[in-house]
Amino acid sequence: MSDNTEINLLSRLKADDRMALQHLFEDHYEMVCQSIYRFVPDASTAEDLAQEVFLRFWEKRHKIEINSSLGAYIRRMAINEGLGYLRRNKRWEQEAFEPGHEPGVDDSAEDKFLHGEMQENVTAAINQLPPKCRMVFQLSRYEELTYKEIADQMEISVKTVENQMGKALRVLREQLQQYLQLVMLFGLLWLSACQQPATASPPVHAEINSMQYAAFRLKPGTDLKAALQQWADLNDVDAAVILSAVGSLTDYAIRFANQPEASVGQGHFEITSMTGTLSKNGSHLHLTVADETGHCLGGHLMEGCRIYTTAEIVIGLLPGHEFLRVADDTYGYKELEVKKKEKN
């Protein structure tokens, strides 16, 4: 949906045009259901809550001011609706695994990998986390909330958020260990760093660190950001940088400069560059894409960028460091903090 179309639709809604609400419903109902289902994995309940989202939107239509895309605004409403339902019903209080849902998968890891089902494996593992643990992980990784924001949403302490996040990462690594070994065998190329002869003396006090590398390909339909963060989480990556990224997208979701929400688009786009830091503790990635006319746009990489034909990713690993994401007092965002590991 173009910016002009969204502006026109919002104007019609504020003018009490019920057909505009119908158009809004048709365009975004599936996305709203999916956003809620991520937190409330019951189809009937998710559909009921989706209806509530559009009802609330209609009721507050005269007061709505949207600074990003209409789709991003409704998606945020959907997430808040799902969280509100869980909070009212205290659905994240249970800490044990549900009976009959012990960690593990029925099919072999090899079969699932060979059929390109990495996303399904990871999603299944996340869904098996204890409720509170799963909620913290989803809010941190998918919605990019700070630990303080998660604590406020769930009415728990920041320390509890930290503990639950650590538990989530440990459980996911344990559950997907066999699968990860296969990924390393078929999909990742771990290379030893090659030190080239120096052509000039290094600056005084400069420290030379070895770098390791990983290279892999993301297949059609994969979410670019989610796949990168999952790779960092499941491979226990402390510090890494994007060295190279080429490929194509059918959908982009990019947060432009100083905007609170992502802008989205559909079509065919070439990935012209991607840069940033990557870690199991959180990542900060920027993406630039070009459309069919060569027009480029770029900004903060958000979930929703879908691979069209391929994405070839090369990542540099920094074994001597750890990248942390710490809330900065200036604006409240989680910013990079570099921690040097002690040598054994």
Side-chain angles (χ1 to χ4, degrees):
M1 186 181 294
S2 68
D3 291 343
N4 289 336
T5 302
E6 287 193 352
I7 293 172
N8 177 260
L9 183 60
L10 188 58
S11 297
R12 289 170 56 196
L13 286 164
K14 290 186 175 183
D16 302 331
D17 184 346
R18 290 186 175 272
M19 284 304 299
L21 178 64
Q22 180 65 29
H23 292 157
L24 185 75
F25 183 88
E26 293 172 353
D27 289 340
H28 298 289
Y29 177 73
E30 183 177 354
M31 177 271 290
V32 168
C33 285
Q34 291 175 349
S35 297
I36 295 174
Y37 188 82
R38 171 177 289 163
F39 299 99
V40 187
D42 178 82
S44 178
T45 303
E47 290 173 358
D48 290 342
L49 294 175
Q51 298 279 352
E52 288 294 323
V53 169
F54 289 100
L55 177 60
R56 292 179 191 278
F57 190 94
W58 177 255
E59 291 174 344
K60 61 188 294 188
R61 64 191 180 279
H62 296 301
K63 300 178 181 179
I64 289 177
E65 296 295 334
I66 299 178
N67 298 318
S68 57
S69 70
L70 184 57
Y73 185 90
I74 295 175
R75 181 171 179 270
R76 175 57 62 183
M77 287 187 64
I79 292 168
N80 289 338
E81 191 70 30
L83 292 176
Y85 172 83
L86 293 174
R87 190 181 301 109
R88 291 191 299 272
N89 293 275
K90 298 188 180 299
R91 292 289 295 274
W92 52 62
E93 293 302 320
Q94 181 181 355
E95 281 302 310
F97 286 106
E98 295 292 340
H101 291 275
E102 293 299 320
V105 292
D106 294 330
D107 298 328
S108 70
E110 181 178 0
D111 289 340
K112 287 186 177 295
F113 177 76
L114 293 176
H115 286 87
E117 296 182 356
M118 179 177 181
Q119 184 64 47
E120 284 79 0
N121 279 269
V122 174
T123 299
I126 292 172
N127 288 338
Q128 290 175 8
L129 291 170
K132 182 184 291 185
C133 198
R134 180 176 67 244
M135 181 62 58
V136 168
F137 181 84
Q138 290 174 323
L139 290 175
S140 175
R141 286 297 183 257
Y142 296 140
E143 307 309 325
E144 295 193 317
L145 299 187
T146 66
Y147 284 3
K148 178 64 166 60
E149 290 170 335
I150 296 172
D152 292 342
Q153 286 276 14
M154 296 182 63
E155 299 178 350
I156 57 180
S157 69
V158 173
K159 186 64 176 178
T160 300
V161 173
E162 294 173 351
N163 292 338
Q164 293 295 324
M165 193 64 188
K167 180 191 295 185
L169 293 177
R170 288 195 301 273
V171 171
L172 289 176
R173 284 195 290 270
E174 291 171 1
Q175 290 190 34
L176 297 170
Q177 185 60 42
Q178 181 184 1
Y179 179 67
L180 287 174
Q181 289 173 353
L182 196 70
V183 171
M184 294 293 288
L185 177 62
F186 285 93
L188 301 180
L189 301 177
W190 291 92
L191 306 176
S192 298
C194 297
Q195 295 185 351
Q196 300 295 331
T199 57
S201 299
V204 177
H205 303 306
E207 182 179 354
I208 301 175
N209 293 295
S210 63
M211 176 183 286
Q212 296 176 330
Y213 303 90
F216 52 89
R217 176 197 171 205
L218 300 177
K219 295 186 178 181
T222 303
D223 186 289
L224 178 59
K225 180 180 179 182
L228 290 172
Q229 189 59 60
Q230 287 165 1
W231 177 85
D233 290 342
L234 300 176
N235 286 284
D236 201 23
V237 174
D238 287 319
V241 294
I242 303 295
L243 298 180
S244 176
V246 292
S248 58
L249 304 176
T250 56
D251 302 75
Y252 73 76
I254 298 174
R255 180 163 59 81
F256 299 144
N258 203 36
Q259 297 302 310
E261 301 288 349
S263 294
V264 298
Q266 295 181 324
H268 293 98
F269 308 92
E270 292 291 338
I271 298 173
T272 58
S273 70
M274 183 168 65
T275 186
T277 56
L278 192 64
S279 167
K280 66 184 181 185
N281 301 311
S283 303
H284 187 180
L285 303 170
H286 283 193
L287 175 74
T288 301
V289 297
D291 63 16
E292 296 94 331
T293 67
H295 176 72
C296 292
L297 53 88
H300 191 84
L301 173 65
M302 304 295 286
E303 187 179 352
C305 293
R306 298 286 176 185
I307 305 302
Y308 176 37
T309 59
T310 190
E312 301 166 8
I313 311 295
V314 181
I315 295 175
L317 298 152
L318 307 173
H321 295 79
E322 182 177 13
F323 290 164
L324 305 175
R325 308 303 302 182
V326 179
D328 186 279
D329 294 337
T330 306
Y331 295 106
Y333 296 118
K334 290 192 287 187
E335 303 292 358
L336 177 66
E337 181 176 296
V338 180
K339 181 180 179 181
K340 186 176 179 181
K341 290 184 177 180
E342 294 184 3
K343 295 182 180 180
N344 295 326

